[in-house]
Amino acid sequence: MSRNTLFKEGDVFVLFGELFGRGYATGLVDEARKAGMKIVGITVGRREEDNALRALTAEELAEAEERLGGTIINEPLMAGFDLDAPAGQPTPTELLNKMTVESWKDDKLDWTHIEMCRKHGVDRFKTTLGHVMRELDGMIPDGKNVLFAHTMAGGIPKAKAFLVIANRIYKGRGARHMSSQALIESDLGKLILQNFNEVSANTFQHLLDASSPIRDRIEASGGQVRYTAYGYHGTEVLIGDDYRWQTYTNYTQGYAKMRLEDIATEGWANGVKATVFNCPEIRTNSSDVFAGIELSLLPLLRALQKEGGGAWVEALWNECQTLLKEGVTLGDLLQKISDYQNHEAMQRFYDFASWPLPNSPEQAEQTIGTSGEIVQLHKDSNALVSDVLSYHVVTATGQLIFGETGSPAGPVLWLNHDLVARQLLATEEASKKPT
């Protein structure tokens, strides 16, 4: 297990993305706090009724700082360009809202205008980022180590037609199924992919560039600077008795996550310690749109047994068992996962080199159908085994990333289920030792 060898009390942790609810970043922030680091955050700001972007109010700022446990630089760093346009011109979202569920496949966008909006949004972001970095510079003393944790992701425009389309792509079976490839080939899809790139990937490049004066000063004064980002490029989970790479289909944001990896690789080649950590799936507020995304999380129960088991794992299994209906066992649940993993329709999706593949009617039937069947095995659809496991994955990934970042092995790393299971078991073992 990698242990933190770099960060200590008084060093600075910068969360480059706002902390909303429970997600991967929570685990990393917890580790920074335990190490005694000074925590600094940013805000994406808020939109007014007329879509004007603003900083947080005093009340919002106080709430956000309490949630973070640190200081927030109150400059609105909203990424993406879906709500940007030169004065008096329509935003991309306004143009998308002219599309209908019947017409979107054939509707065309004015790409010259879209590019003007994109440039407007990027310029806005980079200008604000310059203000943020100047303020941040004054908060980091010479000689301190700094960890920048990039957490920006997403970029789905609030277009009425897309909400219906997304429901069919991610939750549609049979007659309601819709091809993700049809979306990607449309002008609507091309715009969404561009916006994903700006939010999830290009903001990492802007961060590396804008923080270079801080990086130069810190390194010249004896400190070190690290950058982390959250990727998703599938992970290895137990399929049968072997850890094999698998992924959620269709992961439309996958193209932006590949771009994120390219940015880290390029930064690394230029001497910047930037690492994208590809994490296992968890359930979050934002992931619930993707039906079946939790299916790759459940084999962690078996991985924990394979990596050593013991009393803690037995207690976790018992906790998860209490969430299931009377007469249903965790074995029943895991058998459904095994049947799903081994189904003929799923086999082509285990090819790493061809990721991200479009969805298919057969794959959607298996993914969405199995997800629904597993929810039905629970007493309460709001208290799922996948929620319990998500909590532990957040904890383990935070520890793994924080431990690895002092001396990272490369620009792109995978936190597969074997690593997560071993981390959880090692943490449990360490907690038994007298301090």
Side-chain angles (χ1 to χ4, degrees), residues 211-232:
S211 61
S212 64
I214 294 175
R215 190 167 66 243
D216 292 345
R217 174 174 68 80
I218 290 299
E219 289 175 350
S221 62
Q224 296 188 53
V225 180
R226 299 286 187 270
Y227 299 85
T228 65
Y230 287 92
Y232 181 71

Side-chain angles (χ1 to χ4, degrees), residues 154-367:
I156 294 177
K158 288 185 171 65
K160 291 187 285 283
F162 181 69
L163 296 177
V164 178
I165 295 159
N167 231 359
R168 291 186 185 171
I169 287 173
Y170 303 123
K171 295 184 176 177
R173 301 162 66 187
R176 290 192 69 251
H177 170 77
M178 188 176 280
S179 164
S180 59
Q181 193 60 28
L183 172 66
I184 284 166
E185 288 172 359
S186 70
D187 274 20
L188 168 64
K190 286 171 185 163
L191 173 67
I192 288 169
L193 290 185
Q194 267 197 29
N195 207 44
F196 284 157
N197 261 344
E198 289 303 335
V199 177
S200 298
N202 295 349
T203 50
F204 195 42
Q205 185 68 63
H206 300 325
L207 170 62
L208 298 183
D209 293 344
S211 61
S212 64
I214 294 175
R215 190 167 66 243
D216 292 345
R217 174 174 68 80
I218 290 299
E219 289 175 350
S221 62
Q224 296 188 53
V225 180
R226 299 286 187 270
Y227 299 85
T228 65
Y230 287 92
Y232 181 71
H233 198 149
T235 49
E236 289 183 4
V237 307
L238 266 182
I239 298 179
D241 291 326
D242 299 312
Y243 290 104
R244 286 179 58 197
W245 181 86
Q246 54 71 61
T247 184
Y248 174 78
T249 299
N250 171 267
Y251 193 69
T252 324
Q253 291 91 322
Y255 300 97
K257 293 299 189 183
M258 289 165 104
R259 168 89 189 114
L260 184 66
E261 292 177 4
D262 290 343
I263 290 166
T265 302
E266 194 178 309
W268 191 273
N270 292 322
V272 180
K273 289 290 196 299
T275 304
V276 172
F277 290 88
N278 287 312
C279 292
E281 287 295 4
I282 58 170
R283 283 191 67 218
T284 66
N285 296 345
S286 59
S287 74
D288 278 353
V289 68
F290 304 112
I293 203 164
E294 77 289 351
L295 296 179
S296 62
L297 178 56
L298 298 167
L300 181 61
L301 284 165
R302 290 180 53 235
L304 284 160
Q305 287 186 326
K306 183 180 174 76
E307 298 304 326
W312 181 78
V313 175
E314 195 176 324
L316 177 64
W317 273 64
N318 290 339
E319 179 188 354
C320 292
Q321 178 63 53
T322 65
L323 301 176
L324 303 180
K325 286 177 178 169
E326 197 171 335
V328 176
T329 68
L330 274 182
D332 299 333
L333 181 149
L334 291 170
Q335 186 59 53
K336 283 195 181 292
I337 293 293
S338 181
D339 293 345
Y340 165 72
Q341 290 173 329
N342 291 305
H343 194 279
E344 186 185 358
M346 300 310 302
Q347 301 316 300
R348 61 188 288 262
F349 296 96
Y350 300 146
D351 177 27
F352 177 80
S354 57
W355 183 82
L357 283 171
N359 63 2
S360 75
E362 301 78 21
Q363 167 270 321
E365 185 62 36
Q366 290 307 312
T367 302

